[in-house]
Amino acid sequence: NLDSSSFRSLEGEDRLEAEMIGPVRRSQIFEEIGKDKCDAAVVLQMAEAMSWKSADIILQILLKGSTDFNEWGAMLLSKEVRMLQNIYCGLVLESSSGPNGTKTAITAGSSSNISTASILTQFERVNQAVSILQLEKPSDWLAFAYRVGHGDDTNLTPEEIRSVMGLRVDFSDEAIKNAMK
């Protein structure tokens, strides 16, 4: 469990860059995309796949229940998830822009409307989990609960919500049970 001073050191941009974002940026696929070797539509598909896998890994770890969180840990996780979203969205936006930020020529069969919405959609269930972890108390979910679309592919199930709430060290089982009625 983090306190404010350990949060500050873990939150530092240098640590996050070195341990989390740097390895992604230095990956071979990012380097090839940076050399303008891919069409923007192909980059979007690759970024969607990478963001889906990243979100899936994060959610699996959370739902496994082997990590506890306090409010500081929830804030750090939130920042780390946003950084991942930003790097994947940035990759797509950079690939669809020319050297001066202008749109590149669109080849036959590709879309001129490159959007990062599909990347952000990959993280919806993770974002819900992060929102739950940032609650002051489980009953706050009753006021802040939200659904994205209509399916479970973008929404946590009630059992998953209960599981994520159980990761907070300061949420009692009784308070979680009452919030999930």
Side-chain angles (χ1 to χ4, degrees):
N1 289 324
L2 296 177
D3 59 18
S4 62
S5 64
S6 57
F7 173 77
R8 277 191 294 277
S9 69
L10 290 172
E11 181 196 35
E13 297 297 324
D14 292 340
R15 185 201 71 85
L16 292 174
E17 176 65 34
E19 295 180 12
M20 192 174 96
I21 301 302
V24 174
R25 284 193 180 133
R26 288 187 302 273
S27 69
Q28 184 177 357
I29 199 163
F30 263 64
E31 289 178 7
E32 295 298 317
I33 291 169
K35 295 175 185 173
D36 248 358
K37 291 189 175 183
C38 295
D39 180 73
V42 173
V43 173
L44 176 61
Q45 289 179 336
M46 289 188 305
E48 286 172 345
M50 290 185 293
S51 61
W52 176 83
K53 191 59 179 173
S54 296
D56 186 53
I57 290 168
I58 294 167
L59 199 56
Q60 283 182 26
I61 290 168
L62 291 175
L63 294 177
K64 192 184 310 180
S66 58
T67 305
D68 292 330
F69 287 85
N70 61 12
E71 64 183 300
W72 294 106
M75 287 192 315
L76 182 59
L77 178 62
S78 175
K79 181 174 183 171
E80 291 168 344
V81 168
R82 282 193 318 273
M83 289 180 82
L84 278 174
Q85 290 171 333
N86 288 341
I87 197 166
Y88 294 134
C89 289
L91 180 68
V92 170
L93 295 174
E94 288 170 20
S95 74
S96 65
S97 297
N100 298 329
T102 58
K103 281 284 195 201
T104 57
I106 302 299
T107 59
S110 68
S111 171
S112 61
N113 295 326
I114 298 296
S115 168
T116 61
S118 59
I119 291 172
L120 298 175
T121 299
Q122 305 295 329
F123 282 93
E124 286 300 340
R125 289 167 41 94
V126 173
N127 288 337
Q128 283 183 328
V130 169
S131 294
I132 292 165
L133 290 171
Q134 291 181 307
L135 297 173
E136 275 190 46
K137 55 189 181 296
S139 61
D140 288 347
W141 183 244
L142 300 172
F144 295 115
Y146 63 92
R147 288 189 56 81
V148 180
H150 299 290
D152 286 340
D153 56 330
T154 54
N155 293 287
L156 294 175
T157 66
E159 185 55 42
E160 290 169 333
I161 292 169
R162 190 176 298 109
S163 177
V164 171
M165 283 184 181
L167 298 176
R168 276 291 295 264
V169 296
D170 53 340
F171 287 3
S172 72
D173 290 340
E174 185 66 30
I176 293 170
K177 182 180 172 186
N178 289 335
M180 295 304 299
K181 285 184 181 178

